Amino acid sequence: MRATTVFSLLSFFLPTAFGSLGGLPNKIYGVNLGSWLVLEAWMLPQEWLDMGGQSCSDCSTCIATEFAFAKAYPDTVDQIFDEHWSTWFNQTDVDALAANGINTVRIPLGYWIVEALVDRSTEFYPRGGLAQLRRGLQQLNKAGIVAILDHHALPGVAAVNQQFSGNCTSTPMFYTDYNYHRALIWTSVMTTLSHVDPTFANVVAIEAVNEPIMDATQTPGYGDFQKNFVKVVRATEFLLGVPTAGYNAMPAPANGNFTAMVPQASGDIFTEEVRSVLLDAFPILLQLGVFGLSKKKTQLVTNFMDVNWQYNNPANPADAAIGPQGYDNHLYYVFGGVANADPVSYMTSICNLERVQNDAALGDSPLWFGEWGLPVQFNTTDAFLTQWADAQKLMYSQGAGWIFWNFKVEKSELAGDLAREWSYLEGVELGYLTKDPSKYNDPNVCVPYIIQPSSSASASASPTSTSASASETTSASASASAQPTTSASVSASEQATVSESTSTQPSASASA
């Protein structure tokens, strides 16, 4: 069968490919820089122990997060983390990403990178991350790689017992007016840096919240926060001299004095809350020495997890859009809830995935897959992982593109086989992922599994061929003890009864 066949079959049920959005590439081929500025101990188990961290089954009971580490080692935490930041991601990694065709990175950040937002009497995090972010962005920019700044770990904690939130707790407090306000201040500061600071020249998008709790009844006020997030970005840009549709340009002082400008600003985006956020952000920007007007003159892309991430009547982030906006979905089969744990079920499921068009029908377009990987629930072969990589890339590329979790993980005796399925660079080295991310080992990989719209076959029907020969030698996938746990494997639209994971195992949510 010719290579074009799979694409003609897919055209029956997939929408037209998207063009570029804002400063993003026409097609996103990206990786996450996970465990750099938001550390997740499961991804580097030996280094974490060497740093002074601990490993435990319940991450809230030992030194398993940045919060717990900073609280335990207040006098040395900054120095220890600076060493980690410098070695976990550096020029060698940038060169490897560029050599393998990566054009986009998603950078998970904690709210504590804006140090003025941290209440040091009750909150404990390392300091100095902003300087490292600037260093990394400059290196990426020289390599022609653009960046999405992902607010991964929110003030007050937005997820239940997850290392990626910075602090493991069973009682997230992000969904309150106080912490929404702090997150919006963070947003204004990051927006300003992205426009004014030359080291942020390659930042093209800001993501509001990584993986909010899936049950929308547990995230009160989140819909209003989405609208305020976009308004804060656009209001900040407006004051920096960036054209905003529907608003007359207002001359801004050369020193970027927000305090003097805010009372003069008018329009729907300048609500009472937005004005308050801008006034609270200004002294932080003064402290950081950030002044002047935008050097980009183009709007950033605002970015949200898609509406189908949540269930129980969630707010639709499409309703918040003002200017360019993109949507993010995360998908990990390894955590269950998507397909039966066998190669045929996995391939049948992924090759008939409809998340792109389901989101588009609700206005959440363009959509990219901001987290995914190769881990599976069963012992697998190299041959299957090659097919699994091709099939996921093929389907995710029907949207705006994809961002793999993660660019790398630790390779050590303690980490075991973790890198085989979680590291992009290792996946390329092993041949599962192609060196040119736009290419496939087998562009027809989905042909035997596609269920055409006219067919009455169920999604569980067996295809004409299996994805891996039974005669092939199998090798164990990463052990459950080394992998994170999450409920992010299935979207709310596909399994409305799924609840947010409260597992106490190390997690990446989808953030792997």
Side-chain angles (χ1 to χ4, degrees), residues 13 66 107 111 115 159 173 208 236 267 327 335 370 381 394 399 407 412 426 439 446 459 461 479 491:
F13 58 93
E66 293 198 29
I107 306 179
Y111 78 94
E115 295 172 9
M173 295 299 294
T236 301
Y327 304 87
F335 302 119
T381 64
L394 182 67
F407 80 107
S412 67
E426 183 73 3
K439 305 298 183 183
C446 272
S479 68
S491 74

Side-chain angles (χ1 to χ4, degrees), residues 362-439:
L362 297 173
D364 286 19
S365 178
L367 175 75
W368 56 81
F369 288 78
E371 290 190 20
W372 63 283
L374 300 184
V376 297
Q377 297 165 283
F378 45 86
N379 291 345
T380 189
T381 64
D382 291 341
F384 177 73
L385 288 181
T386 301
Q387 291 182 309
W388 186 225
D390 274 349
Q392 289 190 85
K393 286 169 54 182
L394 182 67
M395 298 307 296
Y396 303 156
S397 292
Q398 303 307 311
W402 47 260
I403 306 174
F404 191 94
W405 187 280
N406 191 40
F407 80 107
K408 72 177 183 183
V409 296
E410 180 180 280
K411 296 177 68 175
S412 67
E413 182 177 352
L414 187 59
D417 213 17
L418 200 64
R420 181 179 182 233
E421 298 176 352
W422 288 102
S423 167
Y424 187 86
L425 293 174
E426 183 73 3
V428 173
E429 184 70 22
L430 294 172
Y432 308 149
L433 296 156
T434 54
K435 191 172 183 65
D436 180 345
S438 69
K439 305 298 183 183

Side-chain angles (χ1 to χ4, degrees), residues 64-120:
T65 61
E66 293 198 29
F67 182 100
F69 192 99
K71 186 175 183 179
Y73 306 110
D75 297 330
T76 57
V77 58
D78 296 347
Q79 178 183 351
I80 292 172
F81 266 79
D82 190 66
E83 176 67 16
H84 163 72
W85 294 329
S86 298
T87 55
W88 184 252
F89 177 72
N90 52 39
Q91 188 63 53
T92 300
D93 300 299
V94 173
D95 292 343
L97 296 180
N100 286 286
I102 294 301
N103 60 26
T104 306
V105 294
R106 178 173 178 259
I107 306 179
L109 299 173
Y111 78 94
W112 56 89
I113 201 166
V114 180
E115 295 172 9
L117 292 175
V118 180
D119 179 354
R120 296 290 170 184

